Amino acid sequence: MNTPASEPDIASRARRSVIVTGAASGIGRAAALAFATGGDRVLAADLDAAGVEETVRRITVAGGVARAVAGDLAEQRVVDAVVARAVAEFGGVDVLVNNAGVMDRMSAAHETDDAEWDRVLRVDLTAPFLLTRAVLPHMLAAGSGCLVFTGSEAGLRGGAAGAAYTAAKHGITGLVKNLAVMYRAQGIRANMIAPGPTATGMGVDSRPDAHGPSVVGSLIGANIGRIGSADEQAAAIVWLASGAASFVNGAVLPVDDGWSAV
């Protein structure tokens, strides 16, 4: 099968330039390692400097090529530094994986203070937008590109997290669909995985006596299947960025052992 004309290079380019955020641990680290194993050059970004350097160390020990940038991706200067480093080191940006995120406290709206709302929305929605906006000129110039977002079951339903996280992940779902429509004619695809419960380092600092956790906890406990692995989520991310998914655009892919089907 011929590669579609809308995506002439990215499906077959031997050593793509890939930015992975949240790459210090969990799904982000697994994705960074998977891209590098496939021959891609990886710019790993995370707030956790020691963690992201360890990810890069693992890639280089295995013979791959990776660089690290540490900083808060909710800050424009860090976003600019990440993109500038990828362009300078690797010549452009072929794939952006917007994976970094934080969890809320499962708080219901009346329990959500300004600090919780602002932090979750800034990290989980605004930061991916800022990074996407920063890489788009490079992808537009190249005539190709892949944007892959780590969403959540909370972006598909109302009973998987608190008010802030649910709002942020629904925002990501809408952003992905808008990007797919806006840039498909320019050879740029945007897709999202929606992980179910996955064994990562992300925890929930919830108050057991709060209203939100008591509602959400019972719903999650009654409907989830098994706990997934970071490698399983990373495999879906890598596939969405591959030539095998060249006709997949604007998709929300649940990776959740059927939880979204319940």
Side-chain angles (χ1 to χ4, degrees):
M1 180 181 294
N2 293 329
T3 301
S6 61
E7 199 166 335
D9 296 321
I10 200 165
S12 58
R13 191 174 302 160
R15 293 173 65 82
R16 299 175 301 177
S17 169
V18 181
I19 296 174
V20 180
T21 71
S25 62
I27 296 170
R29 172 175 284 173
L33 292 169
F35 277 111
T37 298
D40 295 319
R41 299 164 297 175
V42 177
L43 192 292
D46 202 289
L47 180 63
D48 178 359
V52 78
E53 289 290 354
E54 172 60 18
T55 298
V56 168
R57 186 194 69 80
R58 294 187 189 190
I59 290 172
T60 54
V61 165
V65 177
R67 302 290 186 269
V69 175
D72 186 348
L73 293 165
E75 297 181 9
Q76 185 67 57
R77 65 175 183 82
V78 177
V79 168
D80 293 342
V82 167
V83 177
R85 182 83 182 274
V87 171
E89 295 274 352
F90 305 143
V93 181
D94 300 311
V95 179
L96 169 63
V97 179
N98 275 309
N99 168 77
V102 295
M103 191 63 187
D104 63 12
R105 303 183 69 186
M106 298 288 189
S107 305
H110 75 279
E111 300 165 326
T112 304
D113 59 26
D114 289 352
E116 181 178 0
W117 179 265
D118 291 344
R119 177 171 180 265
V120 174
L121 268 291
R122 185 73 184 172
V123 174
D124 292 1
L125 181 56
T126 301
F129 164 74
L130 294 176
L131 273 160
T132 301
R133 185 176 65 182
V135 303
L136 276 170
H138 301 283
M139 292 182 174
L140 288 168
S144 62
C146 287
L147 304 163
V148 184
F149 293 73
T150 298
S152 171
E153 283 287 329
L156 308 179
R157 62 181 74 237
Y165 191 80
T166 301
K169 292 303 184 178
H170 272 75
I172 287 295
T173 302
L175 177 60
V176 165
K177 291 178 179 295
N178 181 263
L179 290 166
V181 172
M182 289 289 187
Y183 298 104
R184 62 183 179 177
Q186 287 73 41
I188 298 170
R189 296 188 293 112
N191 295 291
M192 168 185 131
I193 64 165
T198 303
T200 67
M202 181 180 285
V204 180
D205 180 25
S206 63
R207 302 187 302 274
D209 60 338
H211 176 69
S214 68
V215 173
V216 173
S218 62
L219 292 172
I220 294 175
N223 291 308
I224 64 170
R226 68 175 175 85
I227 304 299
S229 71
D231 287 339
E232 288 173 312
Q233 302 296 341
I237 290 171
V238 171
W239 178 77
L240 284 172
S242 75
S246 60
F247 201 52
V248 180
N249 194 17
V252 176
L253 176 63
V255 188
D256 62 0
D257 195 33
W259 183 20
S260 60
V262 176

